[in-house]
Amino acid sequence: MTSDAKRGSAAQPPRWMPTGAESDLRPVGEWWDVIRTFEEVGHRAIDILEEAGCPVGPVFLHPTSLEPRLYFLVAVGASSNWNEPDTVALGRTCHVLVPPLAKTSPPGLHWHKLPNAPHVLTVREPLRQALTKARRER
C-alpha cells in the first residue's frame, strides 16, 4: 500500500467512491473524466507532477491486462480533444470499474492514490506534459 493511499483513507470519501467490499462500475463524465496510460509511464508521470509541486488526484491501477494500466481522474471535459500517444481518454458514454475505498493494495484493481479531498483531481495540462516527458524517458 502506498503512503498516499493510507493518508487519503481518513478523509470522508467522495460520493462516487464505492464504500463496500466490491469494485463498482461508475459513469465517466459525471464526476470526472479518465486518462488511462501504461503503469510504467503513469508512475513516472506522477513523480514528475509531484516534483513540480502539482497536485495528483485519485489514481487507480488495473493490473490484470497484458500491461497494467493507471487511471488518472481528471476534470469533466478534460478528455475532450485529448491527443497524447499511448494514452486513452475516457469521457461521457464510458464507464470504468472503480475500486472500493479499502482496496489500496494488490491483488486486482486497487487505488494507487486515494483522493486527498472530494474535489481534488489531476489537472489536464500538467498531466499531459508529465506523460509526454515520462514517455520520452521510457
Side-chain angles (χ1 to χ4, degrees), residues 35-57 59 70 72 82 84 87 112-113 122-138:
I35 304 298
R36 184 182 75 198
T37 191
F38 297 110
E39 179 183 18
E40 179 183 340
V41 171
H43 279 293
R44 180 63 186 127
I46 289 169
D47 291 343
I48 292 166
L49 287 167
E50 290 176 339
E51 288 165 6
C54 296
V56 178
V59 179
L70 282 175
F72 289 82
W82 180 268
E84 184 64 30
T87 66
H112 178 68
K113 290 185 130 333
T122 303
V123 179
R124 174 191 160 117
E125 193 57 24
L127 175 60
R128 187 193 63 73
Q129 292 171 4
L131 288 167
T132 297
K133 184 175 181 180
R135 193 182 70 255
R136 287 181 183 152
E137 291 176 1
R138 187 178 184 197

Side-chain angles (χ1 to χ4, degrees), residues 30-107:
E30 183 173 338
W31 296 289
W32 30 255
D33 283 2
V34 173
I35 304 298
R36 184 182 75 198
T37 191
F38 297 110
E39 179 183 18
E40 179 183 340
V41 171
H43 279 293
R44 180 63 186 127
I46 289 169
D47 291 343
I48 292 166
L49 287 167
E50 290 176 339
E51 288 165 6
C54 296
V56 178
V59 179
F60 58 89
L61 177 68
H62 192 283
T64 57
S65 59
L66 290 175
E67 185 167 345
R69 311 272 197 241
L70 282 175
Y71 291 70
F72 289 82
L73 303 189
V74 295
V76 171
S79 66
S80 178
N81 299 315
W82 180 268
N83 189 19
E84 184 64 30
D86 296 329
T87 66
V88 175
L90 304 170
R92 291 203 186 279
T93 74
C94 296
H95 288 76
V96 294
L97 196 59
V98 176
L101 179 63
K103 186 70 170 146
T104 57
S105 60

